[in-house]
Amino acid sequence: MGSKKRWRTFRLFSVLSLLTATILIIVLFSFWLWIKILGPPPLSIPQSTLYYASDGSIIGESNSGEKRYWISLDEIPPHVSDAIISIEDRTFYSHHGFDLKRIAGAMAANVKAMGKVQGASTISQQYARNLFLTLDKTWSRKLLEAFYTIRLEVNYGKEEILEGYLNTISFGHGAYGIEAASQFYYGKSAKELTLAEASMLAGIPKGPGIYSPLISEEKAKSRQGLVLSAMEATGAISPEEAKVASREPLFFIGKHPHHQAEIAPYFYDTVKKELKDKVGLDDRSIALGGLRVYTALDVKQQDIAEKAISETISESTDIQAGFAAMDPETGYVTALVGGRNYKNSSFNRATQAVRQPGSTIKPLLYYTALEHGFTPSSILKSEPTTFRFSDGQSEYTPHNYNNQYANGEITMAQALALSDNVYAVKTHLFLGQDTLVDTIRKVGISTKMKKVPSLALGTSGVKPIELLNAYSIIANGGKKVEPVFIVRVEDFRGKVIYEAPKFNEQVLKPEFAFVLSHMMTGMFDKKLNGYATVTGASVINQMSREYAGKSGSTNSDSWMAGFTPKLASVVWTGYDKGKEITLTEDKLYAKNIWIRFMERALEGEDEKEHEFSPPAKVVAIPVDPVNGKIATNSCPVFRLTYFVRGTEPTEYCTDHLHDSQVEPAPSKKEKKKRWWQRIF
């Protein structure tokens, strides 16, 4: 009977053991399955967002108080990883998140000492703590740490966990991660760390307040020795390498390399605004997302622009300035100044101020006229004129600057070079007041336009950045562009999350855009200056190459905008509250800032790259600038003028026959080249 009883007991025990093991396996499998269903935990952590100029230099950083820069494991030298693993977790590659042997040893040591004298956290556990948990010492926190450790081990490889740990661990002084630590302590990237430098850094996380070489170089040096000994024990380095590294002198910087932007603060503000409006990021993501924001800023051009403004505008005046420069082909905003002193006023006059553009709107009017049959030689009278309207509008009498008129006929090319207001209003009314508004919208100006006769003289406000965009479209032959401040945004792992859009739309006809561009060079024409005072006369002597441009002014605004095919810029100067500009010197600020910027920005550039190249549909004809007819040998002044093929003048100038006989038009059969063809 006894044997049967023992057998029944054995069978019961076996069944219970099997049942228990089965339940345990089911529980463990269910737990594993649950972990897999939950998926990998997110590895995003607060990191500093960095802002880059077009040359790759850092121009700004989110100011969170903690410096964190993610760097891939491939970029970290092996001796850095070896140093960390040797001193922190030698069995990292063999355990599954927990080192049971170390845990048992630590428990025994702590019981013996009646206190915590030894820890047993693995790299995986520490990474879980860095990512998800607070540092409080409660059992609930320890259980959660174990849970997150398992999730990390199940869903990520060892290389990914090690990379994350190296990028999140604290090295003291606000430096989190190996890259931030290397930059702070040594002023270099972690990619460049020597064995001696790496072993010094590896000893700091044990207690940054104790082992930082900036706090105690003696304790830091002693800790470095332990790290090197550990590396030697694990076979990561040889005894000779350890000896050499321990003797290598180290020099500490103790300074974080990046900070709030000192250069281009208005540009920096605009970029942060566009990260919200265009990229769709929130404030936290922008400040702590570890983003890499690549901007269009040209550091050289920005410095030139800031200096041109500061040296041109008198310190004794309250006149403000707004400036922007752009690559017409891409829309990249390469320089931006929103005011004379950011600390005194962060209001961005280049992107936010809406001011009357004056005559700088006229190129858009004359482009419209070209599309509707006008040519550079189209004639209208320039004389005091009062316009009366049958629809109940009040009378309107535009005036030229200083009430100077041609008192006779004037060509459109001459009207643009001299900025004749009467010609502009006549053209505007002839075309219809909706027509100019349509062109203004085509070139990206979105501010409200009043459909009135004076719109031709720039009485409806625009933002400087809008006017710059419009001029860039003219400069590039009529292709759509938009102001681009942010070229590309990457997350902390290098994944591109935003790229500036590219456009292929043709919004203006290239042949008319070129004819207009060439007409806009007339304001700087040295041959015409003196014969008829062009509006760019005051800066002609500062020019070393050909520019297209247009100035503009109202009682309270002064503008200058212009371009080469590769660079466009705009300047506005005036008082913030619209006070009248009275001094002649103050009225010249915009032109002088503009020419100084353009000349310095293009210094050393290949002139051929900035030359205006005519498209196939245009033809160059020498014309008398007064009457717009084909110039002859007897004309005292002529200007080579471009026309859309088929619209060029056919009549020769006969106004100077008393000097010499006009050269007759050659017959179709005549093979001899015309005189201007021989020259040009």
Side-chain angles (χ1 to χ4, degrees), residues 530-607:
Y531 178 74
T533 305
V534 293
T535 51
S538 63
V539 297
I540 287 177
N541 290 334
Q542 300 180 55
M543 294 170 52
S544 64
R545 64 181 73 225
E546 187 176 48
Y547 300 104
K550 187 72 190 78
S551 59
S553 62
T554 69
N555 288 338
S556 56
D557 304 279
S558 182
W559 294 77
M560 181 61 215
F563 53 85
T564 72
K566 298 286 187 180
L567 180 63
S569 64
V570 62
V571 185
W572 167 85
T573 58
Y575 294 98
D576 279 337
K577 295 183 178 180
K579 176 183 171 183
E580 183 177 355
I581 303 173
T582 56
L583 298 178
T584 301
E585 179 186 357
D586 294 352
K587 294 178 181 179
L588 295 176
Y589 284 153
K591 288 179 184 176
N592 284 321
I593 291 169
W594 182 85
I595 193 62
R596 287 170 182 172
F597 170 80
M598 294 296 287
E599 283 291 306
R600 295 171 189 176
L602 297 177
E603 186 177 359
E605 295 278 328
D606 186 352
E607 289 193 24

Side-chain angles (χ1 to χ4, degrees), residues 302-317 319-323 337 339-342 571 573 585 589 592-594 596-597 600:
Q302 181 67 30
D303 182 58
I304 291 170
E306 292 177 1
K307 287 179 179 177
I309 290 172
S310 64
E311 72 185 35
T312 302
I313 300 179
S314 171
E315 293 183 2
S316 62
T317 182
I319 284 180
Q320 275 292 350
F323 172 91
V337 182
R340 293 174 61 193
N341 190 312
Y342 181 82
V571 185
T573 58
E585 179 186 357
Y589 284 153
N592 284 321
I593 291 169
W594 182 85
R596 287 170 182 172
F597 170 80
R600 295 171 189 176

Side-chain angles (χ1 to χ4, degrees), residues 159-170:
E159 300 295 306
E160 292 175 291
I161 294 172
L162 179 59
E163 178 181 306
Y165 176 74
L166 290 172
N167 280 289
T168 56
I169 192 168
S170 172

Side-chain angles (χ1 to χ4, degrees), residues 219-256:
K219 291 180 180 179
K221 191 67 180 175
S222 175
R223 179 74 177 163
Q224 181 199 30
L226 289 177
V227 173
L228 291 170
S229 296
M231 294 181 73
E232 185 181 337
T234 59
I237 59 174
S238 66
E240 183 61 30
E241 287 175 312
K243 187 182 296 184
V244 171
S246 66
R247 293 174 180 175
E248 182 180 317
L250 300 178
F251 303 95
F252 304 104
I253 303 298
K255 181 180 178 182
H256 291 291

Side-chain angles (χ1 to χ4, degrees), residues 237-468:
I237 59 174
S238 66
E240 183 61 30
E241 287 175 312
K243 187 182 296 184
V244 171
S246 66
R247 293 174 180 175
E248 182 180 317
L250 300 178
F251 303 95
F252 304 104
I253 303 298
K255 181 180 178 182
H256 291 291
H258 314 307
H259 46 77
Q260 191 77 8
E262 293 181 1
I263 185 174
Y266 294 99
F267 186 98
Y268 186 68
D269 280 356
T270 305
V271 168
K272 288 194 291 184
K273 183 177 184 299
E274 293 219 333
L275 286 172
K276 290 183 182 180
D277 298 344
K278 287 193 175 181
V279 185
L281 300 173
D282 57 33
D283 288 329
R284 177 174 173 78
S285 297
I286 294 170
L288 302 173
L291 306 175
R292 302 296 181 263
V293 183
Y294 296 91
T295 76
L297 185 75
D298 185 306
V299 175
K300 173 191 170 186
Q301 289 187 20
Q302 181 67 30
D303 182 58
I304 291 170
E306 292 177 1
K307 287 179 179 177
I309 290 172
S310 64
E311 72 185 35
T312 302
I313 300 179
S314 171
E315 293 183 2
S316 62
T317 182
D318 292 329
I319 284 180
Q320 275 292 350
F323 172 91
M326 180 186 287
D327 180 339
E329 294 182 347
T330 61
Y332 288 4
V333 179
T334 52
L336 186 89
V337 182
R340 293 174 61 193
N341 190 312
Y342 181 82
K343 292 180 180 178
N344 292 343
S345 172
S346 62
F347 178 68
N348 194 329
R349 295 156 188 85
T351 62
Q352 295 175 292
V354 178
R355 306 296 295 239
Q356 292 184 350
S359 293
T360 57
I361 207 71
K362 289 176 182 175
L364 303 182
L365 170 67
Y366 293 139
Y367 173 84
T368 310
L370 289 170
E371 274 200 337
H372 287 78
F374 280 63
T375 78
S377 290
S378 293
I379 295 287
L380 289 175
K381 279 190 175 182
S382 171
E383 59 186 2
T385 305
T386 297
F387 296 89
R388 297 178 175 85
F389 306 93
S390 58
D391 59 357
Q393 292 187 48
S394 59
E395 295 180 351
Y396 177 58
T397 306
H399 298 280
N400 282 348
Y401 180 70
N402 287 340
N403 288 314
Q404 293 181 351
Y405 304 88
N407 288 322
E409 294 180 335
I410 186 174
T411 68
M412 187 165 74
Q414 195 78 329
L416 183 57
L418 305 179
S419 201
D420 190 279
N421 288 338
V422 175
Y423 193 108
V425 174
K426 284 183 177 181
T427 304
H428 177 47
L429 295 177
F430 176 83
L431 296 172
Q433 297 181 54
D434 290 334
T435 315
L436 175 56
V437 175
D438 291 342
T439 300
I440 288 172
R441 294 289 176 253
K442 280 182 184 178
V443 294
I445 296 176
S446 60
T447 47
K448 188 175 180 180
M449 296 287 125
K450 291 184 179 179
K451 298 176 183 179
V452 294
S454 62
L455 179 60
L457 308 183
T459 53
S460 286
V462 300
K463 298 173 183 176
I465 193 69
E466 290 181 315
L467 188 68
L468 174 63

